[in-house]
Amino acid sequence: MSTSSNQNARVVITGVGLTAPNANNLKEFREALLTQKSGITHMDVRYMGKVAAGNCNFDENLYQKKKMRRRGTRAGSISIYCAHEALKDSGLSIDSVVKDRTGIYLGITEHGNVETENEIYELHQNNLDASLWSHHHNPRTVANTPAGEVSLNMGITGPAYTIGAACAAGNIGIIHGMQMLQLNEVDLALAGGISESTGTFGIFAGFKSQGALGFHDDPIKASRPLDINRNGIVVSEGGAIFVLERLEDALKREAKIYGEIIGYHINSDAVDFVLPDTQRQIQCMKTAINKANITANDIDIVNLHATGTISGDLNECEAVKAIFEQSENTYINCTKGFIGHAMGAAGALELAGNLPSFKDNKIHSCKYIENVDPNCCLKNLVNGDPIEKKVNIILSNSFGMLGINSVIIIKKYK
Amino acid sequence: MDEKAVRQKIIDIIAEIAIDEDLSNLDDNVKLRDQLDLDSMDFLDVVMELKKRYKIEVPTEDYPKLATLKSCIEYLGPSFH
């Protein structure tokens, strides 16, 4: 254990736990991405009817008692599942970690909407009798609930909180976990992002009102980033939590190492509530690349944020072209065609889906794009089949509303 | 309503809250908290369910009267119609 803050401490990923609409662990997820398996289905949403969405089917009671699931939230349940899976994958057990020195840092897009909407619905069913309002409302809706539920479930007594960062949150959870390790606040971080957003009618209705809710009669075609015929975002739930450790600690216990976080950056557009800004995205990627002390051409994979909205896709493609146009070595993919937009989980899930590239030397494709938007014809866009390529460095973008941008860069650990 | 029916209604509520528990061998004279994994939030759930299902109000000062099944039956019995 380090005894003082070390800004230069190298931080590595040693465990991955996830649930996505098409998989419940990393092996399944990788397989799904390599074989073009979609997790999008149609579902009925209160007041709206049929929508396209990505829902997970992990076993909620694998690590959580039914009573605690009833008391808690779907976001908490997803977090508990992913945290246990990550720890198990890292080769650690809950009894072997120092609970005071373990931190839980979970990125979220939003929290509390699901419970609040349900309770207001119940309130109307109960003739507006506010005395029947659930005493569970406050503990279920405080913003730290997903992380707090993990702490309660696992008995982890270190810092446990969420980080609200819209759809950039998955990356930012990881970045924050890394920083806390470097500050020597903790010795182990369970960090990533989660989302329960398919449980809230408001998110679907909000995107629909904005003209940005993706739909297709065939649900597996509903999420079509970079396709000229795309029509918006497909809302999904999910989670990905990573075990992060300082390299020296991971080596000491001979842990399996997925990769090292070598660069990152977070910045803000400061121009619009919802529309992205190309220049700030460029700045964010460039700064992350500089921090990693590499060049653009050193990067083997750029995983786009690519949500399937016109402005989102176009702005990001312009930004990526500005940096990688001359990079022969760099290949581009995106993930949301398979799993939709998992909101606060998106960045973490999308990074997880690419990590196995370090080992299998394949780059997963975008979900097949039938008609690539001419403005999105990026060089080395992987479309259709995976490609074989030795992969050493991955850059992953995640951007969010209110103009928050995040970029993370992971390097294969040799 | 006879005692047996009241007892069953109370057990039905507890069953929904203590989902993981086996309620088949409850001792009516032993505190519920000593037989089941129940905490203060669970008792608030019981109180809320009584209000929702049967419009029975349990004031805070009477919560100790919900300690055992026997005391529940004695206290709540007259409120069931």
Side-chain angles (χ1 to χ4, degrees):
Chain A
M1 188 185 97
S2 308
T3 51
S4 60
S5 163
N6 176 4
Q7 253 192 304
N8 299 316
R10 296 170 69 181
V11 173
V12 292
I13 297 170
T14 57
V16 181
L18 66 83
T19 180
N22 60 356
N24 290 319
N25 57 54
L26 183 59
K27 187 170 178 287
E28 285 177 13
F29 192 39
R30 183 64 174 171
E31 186 64 22
L33 297 176
L34 290 174
T35 57
Q36 298 269 313
K37 182 184 169 192
S38 165
I40 307 303
T41 57
H42 285 151
M43 68 180 264
D44 282 323
V45 169
R46 188 186 291 155
Y47 314 126
M48 288 183 71
K50 190 160 73 175
V51 298
N55 287 299
C56 301
N57 69 352
F58 68 98
D59 179 0
E60 284 191 321
N61 300 123
L62 192 56
Y63 303 111
Q64 189 179 27
K65 283 186 172 178
K66 287 178 186 162
K67 183 175 91 169
M68 298 313 280
R69 171 61 192 95
R70 179 181 178 275
R71 182 181 290 182
T73 63
R74 177 70 170 172
S77 184
I78 289 169
S79 306
I80 288 166
Y81 176 82
C82 293
H84 276 275
E85 289 280 304
L87 202 60
K88 195 163 72 177
D89 184 52
S90 74
L92 293 164
S93 71
I94 191 61
D95 296 325
S96 67
V97 303
V98 181
K99 295 183 181 68
D100 290 346
R101 295 284 300 168
T102 299
I104 304 163
Y105 309 106
L106 303 183
I108 53 169
T109 282
E110 47 81 30
H111 182 73
N113 285 321
V114 172
E115 304 305 329
T116 304
E117 284 180 12
N118 285 341
E119 284 158 23
I120 288 181
Y121 177 80
E122 287 296 317
L123 184 68
H124 281 266
Q125 303 304 303
N126 293 324
N127 296 317
L128 302 181
D129 179 357
S131 75
L132 295 175
W133 187 264
S134 174
H135 54 278
H136 293 298
H137 174 79
N138 293 346
R140 281 178 183 155
T141 59
V142 289
N144 59 321
T145 294
E149 284 197 55
V150 175
S151 154
L152 281 164
N153 177 276
M154 300 176 92
I156 289 171
T157 47
Y161 47 84
T162 55
I163 298 147
C167 302
N171 271 358
I172 294 176
I174 304 166
I175 292 165
H176 189 73
M178 178 201 71
Q179 291 169 328
M180 291 299 110
L181 284 160
Q182 290 175 328
L183 286 170
N184 197 30
E185 291 288 329
V186 293
D187 294 327
L188 192 84
L190 290 164
I194 59 100
S195 168
E196 61 173 2
S197 291
T198 53
T200 157
F201 130 85
I203 284 191
F204 289 95
F207 280 130
K208 189 159 192 181
S209 300
Q210 196 187 328
L213 185 67
F215 186 79
H216 193 284
D217 287 335
D218 178 355
I220 68 169
K221 291 185 175 176
S223 182
R224 284 165 289 171
L226 313 190
D227 191 308
I228 191 82
N229 295 315
R230 60 171 123 39
N231 57 11
I233 288 169
V234 169
V235 180
S236 294
E237 63 170 5
I241 295 179
F242 300 91
V243 173
L244 305 181
E245 297 175 73
R246 287 180 290 268
L247 175 63
E248 57 179 306
D249 295 337
L251 290 176
K252 214 174 292 171
R253 70 177 188 91
E254 297 180 354
K256 162 183 69 187
I257 295 176
Y258 282 98
E260 178 182 353
I261 306 169
I262 59 164
Y264 69 92
H265 195 59
I266 304 166
N267 71 358
S268 301
D269 298 340
V271 290
D272 196 276
F273 272 61
V274 294
L275 296 177
D277 180 76
T278 302
Q279 290 312 311
R280 294 298 165 196
Q281 292 178 354
I282 292 171
Q283 183 189 47
C284 198
M285 282 184 272
K286 273 191 176 168
T287 311
I289 291 166
N290 288 341
K291 282 181 182 174
N293 202 21
I294 57 174
T295 67
N297 196 51
D298 293 328
I299 293 166
D300 301 284
I301 302 175
V302 171
N303 181 261
L304 302 176
H305 182 60
T307 60
T309 64
I310 295 171
S311 67
D313 288 358
L314 266 52
N315 276 275
E316 185 178 13
C317 286
E318 192 184 337
V320 167
K321 273 182 200 166
I323 296 176
F324 294 97
E325 188 81 325
Q326 309 303 321
S327 300
E328 297 298 332
N329 181 53
T330 309
Y331 285 75
I332 317 285
N333 68 5
C334 57
T335 317
K336 292 184 178 70
F338 301 104
I339 62 169
H341 191 343
M343 304 285 144
L349 271 174
E350 292 164 18
L351 175 64
N354 279 292
L355 281 182
S357 291
F358 293 142
K359 213 170 165 188
D360 63 23
N361 288 309
K362 289 183 175 140
I363 299 177
H364 82 70
S365 157
C366 306
K367 182 158 183 306
Y368 179 59
I369 306 164
E370 289 177 18
N371 301 292
V372 180
D373 183 327
N375 293 307
C376 301
C377 282
L378 298 168
K379 190 172 68 181
N380 291 345
L381 180 68
V382 188
N383 183 23
D385 294 317
I387 65 161
E388 305 273 341
K389 185 185 186 308
K390 195 166 162 49
V391 174
N392 285 309
I393 300 180
I394 299 166
L395 177 150
S396 186
N397 285 336
S398 273
F399 309 131
M401 285 189 180
L402 283 298
I404 185 157
N405 306 307
S406 69
V407 173
I408 191 161
I409 303 175
I410 311 290
K411 188 177 182 185
K412 180 179 184 174
Y413 182 74
K414 294 164 182 127
Chain B
M1 192 177 289
D2 64 26
E3 271 190 23
K4 201 177 161 194
V6 171
R7 185 181 189 276
Q8 190 56 50
K9 287 191 184 301
I10 295 164
I11 286 184
D12 287 347
I13 288 176
I14 295 171
E16 189 171 301
I17 292 156
I19 313 171
D20 308 280
E21 305 272 355
D22 175 8
L23 304 181
S24 56
N25 292 308
L26 285 179
D27 185 331
D28 289 17
N29 295 301
V30 175
K31 282 184 180 174
L32 289 163
R33 284 180 90 150
D34 291 343
Q35 303 180 73
L36 301 169
D37 182 17
L38 294 177
D39 58 22
S40 59
M41 294 286 273
D42 296 318
F43 276 90
L44 280 176
D45 277 341
V46 171
V47 169
M48 183 60 82
E49 283 304 311
L50 286 166
K51 193 193 263 183
K52 272 189 188 168
R53 294 186 191 192
Y54 306 112
K55 301 196 185 325
I56 295 173
E57 298 267 1
V58 181
T60 316
E61 60 269 24
D62 287 349
Y63 286 0
K65 292 175 179 166
L66 303 179
T68 66
L69 263 179
K70 186 167 182 284
S71 66
C72 282
I73 295 163
E74 284 170 2
Y75 173 70
L76 297 169
S79 304
F80 283 103
H81 304 296

